[in-house]
Amino acid sequence: SFQNCETMKIYTMPISQPCRALSWACIYEGLKVEEIQTMPGKDTRSPEFTKQGVIPAVPRMDDDGFILNESHAIMVYLGDKFNWKLYPSDAKTRARIHQYMNWHHQNTRRITMALFAPVMRPDLKISAEQTKQWSKEILSTLRSLERWLNESPWLCGTSPTVADLSCYCEVAQCLDKFTGLFELNGIDLKGYPKLMQWLNACEELPGFEEAHAALKKFSPAIRGKAEKAKAKL
């Protein structure tokens, strides 16, 4: 069911994890939107961008003048508006999706903040102490994901949802097939068989290749930067 919404603009940048999840969800659901490449920390600080909405970040959606930030809010809005399969209408499934999304920010998202952001976003000025603290929490996050995936094949039940896409984009960027940041930081996923199985299942979902093309292209450069940073420590 191809949905054309050419009037809808998404301000995005495919190396950003939340942006990638949103793009993937749109491709999966066949929603055609206009994507406007917007550099975090640079374009997001321009007078017109900051005037348009309160949160100076990507992704941002402009649906005919309705401005919305935060990838989870945008995916839920689109899921509601277009009856997405990735956002089932069942109350319990939606509750589980929201549970995951609330948990995500202080847990899965910290994988990016600990391993990816210090390399790619020096403008955020994340301290070494903070990075160290967040790095320590990664194993606990992986254990929680493994436990959820022991209970059901997808994070929120028997079929994939926007929660899976959001989670995958934070975790998988660190795999050897992309930036290799897990290996570089001594994190081994072998002890998380359900998680590994789930990562493979996510890669079979429609839109995966397209949404990850830019990350694939830039991964060697990101890994090189990370290796240089490690060597300095």
Side-chain angles (χ1 to χ4, degrees):
S1 60
F2 184 71
Q3 303 150 344
N4 195 341
C5 207
E6 293 288 15
T7 56
M8 190 181 289
K9 297 182 177 72
I10 304 275
Y11 296 85
T12 188
M13 210 281 287
I15 302 302
S16 150
Q17 305 75 19
C19 287
R20 200 159 55 239
L22 175 58
S23 288
W24 187 3
C26 289
I27 300 164
Y28 182 101
E29 296 285 354
L31 178 66
K32 194 107 173 74
V33 297
E34 183 193 343
E35 289 197 338
I36 299 163
Q37 297 305 309
T38 306
M39 186 57 77
K42 187 177 169 220
D43 301 332
T44 53
R45 291 181 183 155
S46 74
E48 55 185 9
F49 197 85
T50 51
K51 188 182 172 196
Q52 185 193 42
V54 174
I55 303 170
V58 289
R60 172 183 286 174
M61 179 198 75
D62 176 355
D63 183 11
D64 198 19
F66 176 57
I67 307 299
L68 193 63
N69 268 81
E70 296 294 324
S71 63
H72 292 163
I74 298 168
M75 289 194 284
V76 163
Y77 169 76
L78 295 174
D80 252 340
K81 182 167 175 162
F82 295 109
N83 296 314
W84 276 5
K85 294 188 288 295
L86 289 172
Y87 189 56
S89 57
D90 168 66
K92 284 181 180 163
T93 307
R94 284 198 173 181
R96 286 181 70 178
I97 290 170
H98 288 268
Q99 171 184 248
Y100 173 77
M101 286 174 162
N102 284 297
W103 180 85
H104 172 99
H105 298 288
Q106 302 285 355
N107 295 277
T108 322
R109 181 68 182 153
R110 295 241 170 117
I111 296 172
T112 291
M113 298 313 288
L115 308 183
F116 185 94
V119 178
M120 296 306 292
R121 293 290 306 275
D123 60 301
L124 296 176
K125 297 183 171 55
I126 302 167
S127 72
E129 289 82 356
Q130 187 67 87
T131 305
K132 206 171 171 180
Q133 182 52 42
W134 285 340
S135 296
K136 276 186 194 157
E137 293 166 13
I138 291 174
L139 296 183
S140 154
T141 294
L142 296 176
R143 282 196 297 272
S144 298
L145 294 173
E146 182 72 11
R147 186 172 163 190
W148 268 318
L149 293 165
N150 256 308
E151 292 167 8
S152 57
W154 300 94
L155 286 174
C156 300
T158 54
S159 58
T161 69
V162 287
D164 295 284
L165 273 52
S166 180
C167 183
Y168 178 93
C169 288
E170 307 284 343
V171 176
Q173 63 183 350
C174 302
L175 299 172
D176 284 353
K177 70 169 71 193
F178 294 116
T179 63
L181 288 171
F182 278 149
E183 190 192 15
L184 200 57
N185 290 278
I187 294 165
D188 188 353
L189 293 192
K190 280 198 185 72
Y192 308 92
K194 293 290 183 190
L195 182 66
M196 288 175 75
Q197 206 179 322
W198 169 83
L199 288 165
N200 290 332
C202 287
E203 289 162 18
E204 299 296 318
L205 297 176
F208 165 74
E209 293 292 345
E210 200 177 327
H212 285 79
L215 179 66
K216 218 168 238 179
K217 185 179 164 191
F218 290 109
S219 280
I222 296 167
R223 186 178 183 129
K225 260 188 163 177
E227 282 169 349
K228 265 190 195 141
K230 270 272 183 238
K232 279 182 192 163
L233 293 177

